[in-house]
Amino acid sequence: MSAVITLDDSVTRLLLAVVVALPLVGAATALLPAPPGLRGRSPEQAVLRHGVVVTGVVLAATLLLAASFDRDAAARPQAVTDLEWIPALGVRLHLGVDGISLPLLVLTALLGFLCALHAYRRPPAGPHPTALVALLLVLLSGALATFAALDLILFFLAFEMVLIPMYFLIARWGGGGSGPAARRFVVYTLVGSVLMLLGFLLLGGRAGTFDMTALAAAQGEGLGRGVQILVVLAVGLGFAIKTPMWPLHGWLPPAHTAAPTIGSVLLAGVLLKTGTYGLVRVLLPAVPEGTAALAPWLGALAVTGIVYSSLVCLDLVRGGADLKLLIAWSSVGHMGFVLLGIATLTPTGVNAALFANIAHGLITGLLFLLVGAIRERTGTTRLDELTARGSGARLYGRAPRLGALFAFTAMASLGLPGLAGFWGEFLAMLAAYDPAPGLPRPAYLVFLALAGLGTLLTAAWLLIAVRRVCAGDPPPDSPAATEPAGVVAAAPAALPRTPAGPAAPEPTTADLAAAEAPGAAPAADPDRLPDPGVAESAVYAPLAALTLLLGLWPALLLGLTDPAVQALLPGVAR
């Protein structure tokens, strides 16, 4: 046994059931009046506290499950529940975790808890928070069930369960353009869902089972090459839209830009991972021949997304675009490295993809939280306004701790060695140098070169963004550079309306200082911005610490994923 603690199998099964089902129970009870003693100062505070408590219990149960996980048997599902559900269709209530799904369960539970904490500290402007908390918990339950499901139909239902909550989070609590962005998100994902369901029905009908462990063990036996290619096309397109893969990424930038902070964190840190997880969990072992036939095309689209998104970001950062839009576009490139790793069909590449998945969730989730903090303090997230003389962010001088944390996270995002963002990208490119037998190595060497170019372009735009946000040095052709000294830039445009009316005004420096340190007077220097206090830092610290820990000790994660990957890949790599 290689577990931190030893628990009986029945206890671990109960823990996994609690992790998956408790958020649903919490969503239902969030709609009820708070019991006496838990009502707080107002109904709004009570329901937000309820969200923190439920997500905190889910995180605790997930960590306990992780502590009891036997690392020596990471290749097989543990904490397994396998019950008959729909006998006529052969669908079972089959749940379990292995070395591939466990890190994603922990990441999802952690981000859900931190989002609940963030909403408690700073609720997004919009309707009553009861609906916000209920939707957050339903989304969390769907994502956790997706990573724990071992039946194709159960996986599909859980996969789709996150769609409606995310739509309403964007549409009801988002900023300008939230309605069109939410509708585009739904249209794209629904099209992908239809294709994915058709592919699942074809796969399960021809294989005679929807059990994912049985499909993985069969390694495509009894499925012809044509059937496998059809399954990969149908199911793979559904996963590619959710990932998102270029050129199916059109829904992502507007959705991220319009979503509230917690919506952007969950979208980047959780929802995008369901697509790449599905590629590894379903397609690689179940239809290896079809996957191998289309892998070079996946690699080509992946590196196109890496380079294209980097060029877009470089153009946007020079034009003073919105920081949220920049981070959204960068996600297309980061997920391109995940897809490139999968496309190599090697253990190194798939491990790289799984590592990059977790790293992206930590780093990009933290970036969106920090951008939200910048907006709270300055009233804007547009680079041209943040660097305007007289009103620029200049975080190094005005909020040193916030500036240092933003720079640290940006360095992790560009893949600085020693931080989590480095290993996924490095290992994916290493795998592209030597792809699986049968794949065209010259094409993959081109993919390697293009991916390397993408890392250079990513470093270029991120360094420009850090300089402009933290140092406040406007480019020579910026209007801010030609303004007379002492002229304050124009105030940001009017705040967007929400379904409940105009959005709440941005807090002042004094408001934020008072919120972080009740009873304390605002800083005497009017040019200072409040640095994160204890409550705010508690949201950022776990993500920053894990980014550093995984960067210095990658074996902590790779030791979990590698045995499971080796068990999935023999039919592909032979």
Side-chain angles (χ1 to χ4, degrees):
M1 286 286 290
S2 179
V4 177
I5 59 175
T6 303
L7 296 176
D8 187 78
D9 287 345
S10 59
V11 176
T12 58
R13 287 196 295 268
L14 178 61
L15 280 174
L16 184 56
V18 167
V19 167
V20 172
L22 183 59
L24 274 183
V25 177
T29 54
L31 304 176
L32 303 175
L38 297 177
R39 292 175 181 170
R41 295 189 299 270
S42 66
E44 291 80 3
Q45 186 196 49
V47 74
L48 291 168
R49 182 184 297 169
H50 172 81
V52 173
V53 171
V54 173
T55 55
V57 173
V58 171
L59 175 60
T62 307
L63 293 176
L64 187 57
L65 181 65
S68 65
F69 186 82
D70 183 3
R71 293 175 65 96
D72 289 339
R76 63 171 177 83
Q78 301 178 35
V80 175
T81 297
D82 190 4
L83 303 173
E84 197 171 64
W85 187 26
I86 309 176
L89 299 177
V91 179
R92 304 186 65 83
L93 195 63
H94 194 182
L95 300 172
V97 292
D98 64 1
I100 292 174
S101 55
L102 181 64
L104 290 165
L105 280 176
V106 174
L107 175 67
T108 301
L110 175 62
L111 290 178
F113 175 64
L114 296 180
C115 284
L117 271 181
H118 184 275
Y120 180 76
R121 188 189 70 86
R122 177 70 174 160
H128 194 280
T130 297
L132 175 72
V133 171
L135 291 169
L136 171 63
L137 292 174
V138 171
L139 188 154
L140 186 63
S141 179
L144 291 166
T146 299
F147 299 131
L150 294 176
D151 182 276
L152 281 181
I153 302 303
L154 180 61
F155 175 90
F156 175 78
L157 294 175
F159 191 90
E160 295 306 300
M161 188 174 165
V162 303
L163 175 60
I164 299 304
M166 182 54 69
Y167 168 80
F168 282 110
L169 283 177
I170 297 171
R172 302 298 299 277
W173 286 272
S178 57
R183 288 191 291 272
R184 180 181 293 189
F185 165 73
V186 167
V187 169
Y188 268 84
T189 51
L190 279 179
V191 170
S193 299
V194 170
L195 293 172
M196 186 169 62
L197 179 58
L198 293 174
F200 281 170
L201 293 175
L202 176 61
L203 175 60
R206 290 299 184 95
T209 180
F210 291 109
D211 187 278
M212 293 162 66
T213 57
L215 290 168
Q219 291 284 312
E221 185 178 351
L223 299 175
R225 176 183 171 88
V227 171
Q228 291 196 33
I229 290 176
L230 282 176
V231 171
V232 173
L233 285 173
V235 177
L237 281 173
F239 289 145
I241 289 173
K242 189 65 77 72
T243 297
M245 178 183 73
W246 183 93
L248 305 174
H249 64 282
W251 62 270
L252 183 66
H256 265 315
T257 306
T261 297
I262 61 172
S264 294
V265 172
L266 292 173
L267 189 58
V270 177
L271 266 69
L272 303 190
K273 309 301 172 278
T274 60
T276 49
Y277 171 78
L279 290 172
V280 173
R281 173 65 72 195
V282 179
L283 293 185
L284 288 186
V287 283
E289 191 176 356
T291 304
L294 297 176
W297 295 98
L298 177 62
L301 293 173
V303 295
T304 301
I306 292 171
V307 176
Y308 180 77
S309 64
S310 300
L311 290 172
V312 170
C313 287
L314 192 58
D315 181 62
L316 289 173
V317 77
R318 292 173 62 85
D322 192 289
L323 276 173
K324 290 187 72 175
L325 182 62
L326 282 165
I327 300 170
W329 271 104
S330 74
S331 291
V332 177
H334 289 307
M335 300 311 290
F337 280 100
V338 176
L339 294 172
L340 176 61
I342 295 172
T344 66
L345 304 184
T346 62
T348 300
V350 177
N351 277 302
L354 296 172
F355 195 102
N357 250 352
I358 300 298
H360 177 263
L362 296 171
I363 296 167
T364 307
L366 182 53
L367 273 176
F368 277 119
L369 288 170
L370 294 174
V371 170
I374 291 171
R375 178 174 173 81
E376 290 175 10
R377 288 158 171 79
T378 64
T380 184
T381 54
R382 286 194 57 85
L383 275 174
D384 51 2
E385 295 170 0
L386 289 171
T387 55
R389 291 183 179 177
S391 63
R394 294 181 285 112
L395 294 183
Y396 286 152
R398 302 180 71 189
R401 290 196 298 274
L402 181 60
L405 188 55
F406 181 80
F408 166 85
T409 312
M411 295 304 102
S413 184
L414 64 80
L416 186 72
L419 300 177
F422 169 75
W423 292 106
E425 297 182 2
F426 169 73
L427 291 174
M429 290 191 288
L430 182 63
Y433 181 77
D434 188 20
L439 297 179
R441 189 165 186 261
Y444 278 80
L445 292 178
V446 174
F447 300 162
L448 169 61
L450 291 175
L453 174 62
T455 61
L456 295 177
L457 295 172
T458 298
W461 78 259
L462 274 168
L463 291 173
I464 294 173
V466 168
R467 185 198 69 189
R468 299 186 67 182
V469 173
C470 295
D473 180 21
D477 57 347
S478 169
T482 60
E483 289 177 355
V487 176
V488 178
L495 290 167
R497 293 184 63 84
T498 69
E506 295 294 334
T508 63
T509 300
D511 291 335
L512 287 161
E516 293 297 336
D525 184 358
D527 194 48
R528 296 281 291 184
L529 294 173
D531 255 331
V534 174
E536 189 177 358
S537 297
V539 178
Y540 308 145
L543 301 179
L546 286 171
T547 298
L548 181 60
L549 177 64
L550 291 180
L552 297 175
W553 190 15
L556 182 66
L557 180 56
L558 294 172
L560 270 177
T561 61
D562 186 57
V565 169
Q566 296 283 355
L568 286 180
L569 281 182
V572 174
R574 63 170 177 255

